[in-house]
Amino acid sequence: MKQQSFLYSTGYLAIASGVTLIIWMTGLESIGIPIFLVFLFLLFLLSRDIMPAIPLLMNALFMVSQTEWSMELIPLYIYLVPVALVGGIVAHIIRFRVNIFKGKMTMGIGIMFLAMLLSTINAEHVDINYLFYALIGLTYAFVYFYFVNSLEGNHTDYLIRMMVILGFLIVSQVLVYYLRVDDVILALEQKTITLGWGISNYVATYLIMFIPMAFYYARKQKINFPWILLIVIEIMALFFTLSRGGIVAFLATLPFLIVYLFKTNTWKSSLISFIGVIAVMGLIIIIFKDLFLAIFDRFAVLLLDDTGRIEIYIDAWETFKEKPLFGAGIFARVDEFGNFRMFHNTILHVMACFGLVGLVGLVIQVIMMFRIILTRINEKTVILGIAVLGAHIHGMVDNVYLMPQFMILFFLIIAVMENANKQIANDSILLRAEGAS
C-alpha cells in the first residue's frame, strides 16, 4: 500500500523529473532510458491502473540530449523504446483483460483513419515508407484506446501535478542550454537552441501546455508568490525558445489565463505578487539588457515577415483544390530530396493530405476533445482546456497536432478526463442510491 501511494505522490513525480534532468545534463540517456524502460515495463505488467507509468513515459521523452545520428549510428536504446512500450502494453492488456475498443473519440478517430485509407487513391506513390507513416497514424488511435481503458478513477490532480513538474524540468533545460553556450547573444541572434529531444518550436509547444498549470496553483494557493514567480520564469523561458509562433499562441491564451487567475477572492494577493515579480524581472532585464535586446530583435515583427509559411499555405490550398474529397495522401508535401514535410498548419495539412473527409474527422476530434475536458466546468478542467487550446492555436503556424510526441500528451489528457468524468458520474449515482435507501 505504501509503495502504491508513493507512485501517486508528488515526490515520485519530482524524483522522476529530477533524474531525467541529471541524465539529460550528463548525456547518459543510453543508460537512463533503458532503466526507465525497465520500470515502465514492470508497471505495465504489475499495475492495473496505468497512471503511475505515465510520468516515466513522459520524462523519457525529455531525456534525450542529442539526436544528430546517421541511420547507421542510431543507438540501440532508441529501438528498445517501441519494443518495451508495445510489449508492456500488450502484456498489460492480456493480463488485465483490457477492452481497448471503447472511447468517446471513436467516431473522430474512425473517420480520420478512413480518410487516411481513402487518400491512397490519389497518392502518387504507396510504398513501404508510406505504410510506415500510416502505421504511425494508427498508433495514435491505439494509444488513445489503451489509455482511456487502462486508467482507473479520477487522476486529474495527478495529471496537473505532473505537468507542473515537467514544465519546471523544461525551464531548467532551457537555462542549462544557455549557461553552456559560449556566446549567449550570438546563440540568440542565430537561434541555435535545441535541447536534443526538440527544437525551439517543440519546446515552446510544451511550455504553452505546461505554463497554465502554474496558473492553476497560483489561483489555488493563498500564498501564491512562488507560483507567480514560476509563471514569469516560464514565460521568460518561452521567449528564450525564440519560437515566434509559440509566443503568438501563448499571447492568444494569456487573456484567458489572466481572467482565470484574477477571478477569485484572492485576486489582490495575486496582483501584488505579479507586481513584485515583474519589478524584479524588470531589474534583471535592465541588467542583462543586451540579451533581451537580441530577443526583441527576433520578435520585433513577430509573424509579419516572410517566414516562408505563406507559400506553404498556398501550396496546401492548391493541393486541396486539386483533390478536395480525399486529399493527396500522406506525402502531399515532400522536399527536393523526397522527404516528408508538413504544412505548418493543422487544418490546411489535413485538408491537403486527407481532403474533406479528413477535415470532418479533425473537426469531430477537436470538438469531442473539448467536450470531454469541459464536461464539468471547474478550476481543473478550465485550465486543462486553456492548455489544449494554446497548443491548437500554435498548431496554426507550426507542426503540433498529428506529431507523435504531442499526440501522446493530447490523448493522455483526454483519457484522464474521460475517466474522471466516469468516476464522478459513478460517485454521483452511488450517493443518490445511498440517499434513496
Side-chain angles (χ1 to χ4, degrees):
M1 187 66 182
K2 291 182 179 179
Q3 183 180 10
Q4 185 182 24
S5 63
F6 171 73
L7 295 178
Y8 291 87
S9 69
T10 302
Y12 168 69
L13 298 173
I15 290 172
S17 290
V19 171
T20 296
L21 179 61
I22 293 172
I23 291 172
W24 176 84
M25 289 176 61
T26 55
L28 295 176
E29 60 262 40
S30 60
I31 298 173
I33 289 181
I35 292 175
F36 268 47
L37 290 177
V38 169
F39 282 108
L40 184 67
F41 184 85
L42 290 174
L43 286 173
F44 279 132
L45 191 61
L46 301 176
S47 177
R48 174 62 181 89
D49 176 32
I50 205 61
M51 194 66 199
I54 302 302
L56 298 182
L57 176 61
M58 291 302 301
N59 275 280
L61 295 176
F62 304 120
M63 197 175 287
V64 179
S65 61
Q66 66 89 24
T67 55
E68 297 176 358
W69 311 302
S70 63
M71 289 299 294
E72 297 79 15
L73 297 178
I74 294 178
L76 177 62
Y77 65 83
I78 294 297
Y79 294 103
L80 291 176
V81 172
V83 173
L85 186 59
V86 174
I89 288 175
V90 171
H92 183 264
I93 291 173
I94 293 174
R95 181 178 179 190
F96 296 101
R97 300 179 182 178
V98 179
N99 179 2
I100 64 170
F101 297 105
K102 296 184 298 182
K104 293 183 179 297
M105 295 283 290
T106 301
M107 180 181 293
I109 291 174
I111 294 175
M112 184 67 79
F113 179 65
L114 176 63
M116 184 178 65
L117 294 178
L118 293 174
S119 71
T120 59
I121 296 173
N122 298 326
E124 292 186 9
H125 302 287
V126 179
D127 52 17
I128 189 67
N129 199 32
Y130 192 98
L131 295 176
F132 171 76
Y133 278 93
L135 183 62
I136 293 177
L138 188 60
T139 302
Y140 297 158
F142 177 72
V143 167
Y144 163 72
F145 286 118
Y146 173 71
F147 278 154
V148 80
N149 291 291
S150 298
L151 297 174
E152 290 189 345
N154 188 345
H155 294 301
T156 309
D157 182 70
Y158 190 88
L159 173 67
I160 293 175
R161 280 185 286 139
M162 182 188 73
M163 292 173 70
V164 166
I165 294 172
L166 290 176
F168 187 80
L169 167 65
I170 292 177
V171 169
S172 301
Q173 290 180 331
V174 172
L175 175 62
V176 169
Y177 171 81
Y178 281 107
L179 288 175
R180 285 177 168 178
V181 298
D182 295 328
D183 189 329
V184 177
I185 294 178
L186 183 63
L188 291 169
E189 291 174 345
Q190 297 183 354
K191 193 182 178 180
T192 61
I193 182 171
T194 175
L195 301 183
W197 53 262
I199 59 176
S200 65
N201 293 337
Y202 298 170
V203 179
T205 302
Y206 281 119
L207 286 175
I208 289 169
M209 297 187 75
F210 294 156
I211 290 173
M213 304 308 114
F215 275 84
Y216 166 75
Y217 282 105
R219 175 188 169 109
K220 181 180 178 182
Q221 303 294 329
K222 290 183 179 180
I223 302 176
N224 58 8
F225 180 84
W227 294 106
I228 302 294
L229 178 61
L230 177 60
I231 288 169
V232 175
I233 291 173
E234 287 182 324
I235 293 174
M236 292 185 68
L238 178 59
F239 272 90
F240 272 85
T241 67
L242 304 172
S243 171
R244 286 178 286 190
I247 292 296
V248 171
F250 179 76
L251 291 177
T253 60
L254 187 57
F256 298 102
L257 292 170
I258 292 174
V259 171
Y260 174 87
L261 178 62
F262 288 107
K263 196 175 180 181
T264 63
N265 295 329
T266 59
W267 67 270
K268 291 182 180 179
S269 64
S270 298
L271 182 60
I272 293 172
S273 296
F274 252 121
I275 292 174
V277 171
I278 291 175
V280 173
M281 301 312 293
L283 180 62
I284 293 175
I285 290 173
I286 293 173
I287 296 174
F288 299 98
K289 63 180 180 179
D290 291 339
L291 297 182
F292 290 93
L293 284 175
I295 295 176
F296 176 78
D297 288 340
R298 289 200 60 87
F299 291 115
V301 292
L302 285 180
L303 298 177
L304 300 180
D305 64 338
D306 182 13
T307 60
R309 281 172 171 73
I310 301 301
E311 290 79 7
I312 295 174
Y313 298 158
I314 293 173
D315 182 29
W317 179 250
E318 293 298 326
T319 302
F320 168 71
K321 287 198 302 182
E322 290 177 7
K323 300 166 182 177
L325 188 56
F326 301 139
I330 295 174
F331 296 153
R333 179 176 180 238
V334 295
D335 60 18
E336 62 272 23
F337 303 106
N339 297 317
F340 168 64
R341 291 290 181 266
M342 299 185 76
F343 287 99
H344 292 276
N345 180 289
T346 302
I347 297 173
L348 290 175
H349 182 84
V350 170
M351 290 171 62
C353 294
F354 309 124
L356 289 173
V357 179
L359 181 61
V360 170
L362 175 66
V363 170
I364 292 175
Q365 282 190 33
V366 173
I367 291 175
M368 185 54 67
M369 182 181 298
F370 283 102
R371 284 187 63 183
I372 291 170
I373 294 173
L374 300 174
T375 296
R376 291 172 174 81
I377 304 298
N378 56 50
E379 292 178 332
K380 295 177 183 178
T381 61
V382 168
I383 206 63
L384 287 169
I386 293 173
V388 172
L389 175 64
H392 279 299
I393 294 174
H394 193 195
M396 297 300 99
V397 292
D398 281 312
N399 304 326
V400 177
Y401 207 68
L402 304 180
M403 295 291 286
Q405 62 270 49
F406 303 124
M407 292 302 286
I408 291 176
L409 184 54
F410 277 131
F411 282 146
L412 171 61
I413 293 172
I414 298 166
V416 168
M417 293 313 303
E418 199 167 328
N419 277 275
N421 294 334
K422 287 189 291 186
Q423 183 66 49
I424 294 171
N426 291 337
D427 291 344
S428 178
I429 293 172
L430 183 61
L431 286 174
R432 286 199 300 268
E434 291 177 349
S437 62

